Amino acid sequence: MDATTRIEQALASAIDSVATSGCPPRLAEAVRHSVFPGGARVRPRLCLAVAAACGSTDYAAADAVAASIELLHCASLVHDDLPCFDDSPLRRGVPSVHRAFGEPLAVLAGDALIILAFEHLARSLAATPERLGPLLLTVSRSVGMPHGITAGQAWECEPRVSVEDYHRAKTGSLFAAATAAGAQVAGADADAWRVVGDRIGEAYQVADDLRDVAASAQEVGKPVGRDALLNRPSAAGELGVDGAIDRLRQLVKGAIDAIPECPGRDKLAEVLMAESRHIMPKDLAQRAA
Amino acid sequence: MDATTRIEQALASAIDSVATSGCPPRLAEAVRHSVFPGGARVRPRLCLAVAAACGSTDYAAADAVAASIELLHCASLVHDDLPCFDDSPLRRGVPSVHRAFGEPLAVLAGDALIILAFEHLARSLAATPERLGPLLLTVSRSVGMPHGITAGQAWECEPRVSVEDYHRAKTGSLFAAATAAGAQVAGADADAWRVVGDRIGEAYQVADDLRDVAASAQEVGKPVGRDALLNRPSAAGELGVDGAIDRLRQLVKGAIDAIPECPGRDKLAEVLMAESRHIMPKDLAQRAA
């Protein structure tokens, strides 16, 4: 089964396990709307690719970890789209959760997704309790305080912010968790893998900045030009489009160079190269080719 | 050390572990504001009382579980106070988090508290990994879908709602988790203890309804008369003040009758009786005496 199918099935199965009879129907609907149809599923695919490169054979555990990471990513998008943050009317080409279901259900769907991510991890790793704690810490740190996504979003509320800290927390942390957790689920050392995720996360952030200045809203599925409008730090703004494309390439190369010794090193390098082409806006990918 | 001191120390230690240097300062401040000064800490005290009654000697683990439950309770209050829900200007006698720090930080503080609850559990139970998974499931189910606090709040967004389902999810679930997790941390059977928490939770809900109609805003520390204003189901509204006081007594008696056989049964019964006097509004406690 390919990675995309495994991820979609793992996400559906996580949600099905709690969106059961007795659940408020609109909350269940809002949670599904937050997760399906999905975006590129970059983080869970990275997690599965690292687990495979490290020789993991516990597919169910790897799928659960990948799904938990994606659930947390979706939660952060739902809350980030709220009127008090970006007030985004669209996400992945459809109305954002608060536009489709109202603000209260958007707050609650985000909360429910965070909780589900941890519950799903606990349920899926019941047979290997010695792995649950370390995996849970890797995942929780990537979204909580002091350096996770929540902290990243909170930097937007500070009068002074280091652009590097901001991006590392808001975007990089969950990428680093994707590689670290992918290694952990295979019994490999997590720390050595964090830098791979860090660099891919940074590359992804540059690609996101590029999409914000250079792609169409239709291609991206959400409003573009928001960074300039909201006066947010942006690699494309600082380096120009060509400079940002160069930076993206260097980061992907850096990520590949940082891959620790493992059984599936070459295959993983190929996957990361393909990924870097995949995340670039279509027009720019042609220009960069 | 008494239960209150243990709980305050456990909460402070959980927050100190993530509100470290490098954390956005206002987020750290908003999180502390969400948790301190505390309310009655009813749920963590119940958790510790059950752990003690079951003969638990792992005080650090019991404190961590109790703190995690209180962190989740605080998170639910912060999100419930948001303008899109109750729009409450006050909580525990001081400005609510969104009034003190703005809406974005209130959303993020709630998220950070949920994440911290799970992270703190994982960190504190590292030495007993076989207990982490079951405890985490008890706690996560009490706040997530389909029957936890998030679901309880989501019933407010449905056109039709069973009052019983609403209260059981919004209030009862975390009380049931407090007793179940208190038993689990002592190695006792969780399920037998759920009904004790269920009934205490229902009693607490009745007391809350009574406070809303019969207490002063100064005593409660938040606006009163909200249930009638927001047309929410209320025991005091349905049964009248005297009927609700009777109901509260029956529920506490029912909780005490349901205490499973355990070393500290009599002491726990005393604690629950004291608790039931403690949660009633002062005027009514005199009237009921």
Side-chain angles (χ1 to χ4, degrees):
Chain A
M1 207 189 298
D2 70 358
T4 303
T5 310
R6 284 171 60 189
I7 291 162
E8 299 305 315
Q9 287 189 357
L11 288 167
S13 139
I15 294 176
D16 287 347
S17 71
V18 293
T20 52
S21 84
C23 183
R26 296 190 69 230
L27 176 63
E29 228 186 305
V31 161
R32 289 195 201 280
H33 185 96
S34 309
V35 178
F36 302 109
R41 309 288 195 207
V42 185
R43 295 156 192 79
R45 282 195 285 123
L46 182 60
C47 179
L48 290 185
V50 170
C54 292
S56 163
T57 52
D58 187 348
Y59 299 111
D63 290 357
V65 173
S68 291
I69 286 172
E70 182 67 9
L71 292 172
L72 290 166
H73 172 58
C74 293
S76 79
L77 298 182
V78 173
H79 282 182
D80 214 21
D81 284 343
L82 284 170
C84 68
F85 291 102
D86 289 3
D87 196 13
S88 184
L90 287 175
R91 172 65 68 179
R92 295 168 175 167
V94 296
S96 55
V97 180
H98 69 276
R99 285 293 175 100
F101 295 90
E103 257 187 274
L105 281 171
V107 173
L108 294 173
D111 292 355
L113 286 167
I114 296 172
I115 296 160
L116 178 57
F118 294 112
E119 182 171 336
H120 187 61
L121 263 188
R123 205 183 304 114
S124 306
L125 289 158
T128 50
E130 71 287 357
R131 294 222 169 135
L132 173 61
L135 272 164
L136 207 143
L137 284 178
T138 295
V139 171
S140 62
R141 282 173 185 160
S142 74
V143 287
M145 291 161 52
H147 301 302
I149 293 181
T150 315
Q153 285 180 271
W155 279 119
E156 293 174 16
C157 306
E158 294 287 338
R160 275 179 303 276
V161 44
S162 134
V163 178
E164 206 183 325
D165 289 349
Y166 169 68
H167 282 318
R168 179 154 292 163
K170 190 164 176 184
T171 309
S173 60
L174 200 54
F175 278 90
T179 51
Q184 275 175 306
V185 89
D189 176 46
D191 283 341
W193 281 90
R194 298 194 71 86
V195 61
V196 180
D198 260 340
R199 285 174 188 170
I200 295 288
E202 220 181 314
Y204 189 79
Q205 181 62 52
V206 173
D208 204 48
D209 292 352
L210 277 167
R211 274 200 298 275
D212 193 68
V213 296
S216 68
Q218 198 181 9
E219 186 185 336
V220 182
K222 62 178 182 179
V224 295
R226 306 286 292 176
D227 291 341
L229 191 68
L230 299 170
N231 200 21
R232 283 193 294 217
S234 153
E238 282 164 36
L239 306 170
V241 169
D242 289 329
I245 292 174
D246 274 353
R247 177 94 185 107
L248 194 157
R249 283 185 178 141
Q250 285 164 15
L251 285 164
V252 174
K253 185 179 177 304
I256 291 171
D257 290 346
I259 298 176
E261 201 46 53
C262 62
R265 202 181 183 294
D266 294 347
K267 175 82 190 300
L268 181 61
E270 276 170 39
V271 170
L272 296 186
M273 281 306 296
E275 202 66 44
S276 73
R277 285 188 294 271
H278 186 74
I279 59 179
M280 218 184 293
K282 288 203 182 72
D283 293 355
L284 297 182
Q286 284 159 6
R287 181 164 151 192
Chain B
M1 206 189 299
D2 70 358
T4 303
T5 310
R6 284 171 60 188
I7 292 161
E8 298 307 313
Q9 287 190 357
L11 288 167
S13 139
I15 294 176
D16 286 349
S17 71
V18 294
T20 52
S21 84
C23 183
R26 297 190 70 231
L27 176 63
E29 228 186 304
V31 161
R32 288 193 202 280
H33 185 96
S34 310
V35 178
F36 302 108
R41 310 288 195 208
V42 185
R43 295 157 192 78
R45 282 196 285 123
L46 182 60
C47 178
L48 290 186
V50 170
C54 293
S56 163
T57 51
D58 187 348
Y59 300 111
D63 290 357
V65 173
S68 292
I69 286 173
E70 182 67 8
L71 293 171
L72 290 166
H73 172 58
C74 294
S76 78
L77 297 182
V78 174
H79 282 183
D80 213 22
D81 283 344
L82 283 171
C84 67
F85 292 102
D86 289 3
D87 196 14
S88 183
L90 288 175
R91 171 66 68 179
R92 295 166 174 168
V94 296
S96 55
V97 180
H98 70 276
R99 284 292 175 98
F101 295 89
E103 256 187 274
L105 281 171
V107 172
L108 294 172
D111 292 355
L113 286 167
I114 296 173
I115 295 160
L116 177 57
F118 294 112
E119 183 171 336
H120 187 61
L121 263 188
R123 206 184 303 112
S124 305
L125 289 157
T128 50
E130 71 288 357
R131 295 224 168 133
L132 173 61
L135 272 164
L136 206 144
L137 284 179
T138 295
V139 171
S140 62
R141 282 172 184 160
S142 75
V143 287
M145 291 161 51
H147 300 302
I149 294 181
T150 316
Q153 285 180 271
W155 279 119
E156 294 174 16
C157 307
E158 294 288 336
R160 274 179 304 277
V161 45
S162 133
V163 177
E164 207 185 323
D165 289 349
Y166 169 67
H167 282 319
R168 179 155 292 163
K170 190 164 175 185
T171 308
S173 60
L174 200 53
F175 278 89
T179 51
Q184 274 176 307
V185 87
D189 176 45
D191 283 340
W193 281 90
R194 299 193 72 85
V195 60
V196 180
D198 260 339
R199 287 176 187 169
I200 295 289
E202 219 180 315
Y204 189 79
Q205 182 62 53
V206 173
D208 204 48
D209 292 352
L210 277 167
R211 274 199 298 276
D212 193 69
V213 297
S216 68
Q218 198 180 9
E219 187 186 335
V220 183
K222 63 178 182 179
V224 294
R226 305 288 290 175
D227 291 340
L229 190 70
L230 300 170
N231 201 21
R232 284 193 294 216
S234 153
E238 281 164 37
L239 305 171
V241 169
D242 289 328
I245 292 175
D246 275 352
R247 177 93 187 109
L248 194 156
R249 282 183 178 144
Q250 285 163 15
L251 285 164
V252 174
K253 185 178 177 303
I256 291 172
D257 291 345
I259 298 175
E261 202 45 55
C262 63
R265 201 181 184 293
D266 294 347
K267 177 80 190 300
L268 181 62
E270 276 171 38
V271 170
L272 296 186
M273 279 307 296
E275 201 66 45
S276 72
R277 285 188 294 271
H278 186 75
I279 59 179
M280 218 185 292
K282 287 202 184 72
D283 294 354
L284 297 183
Q286 283 158 5
R287 182 164 151 191

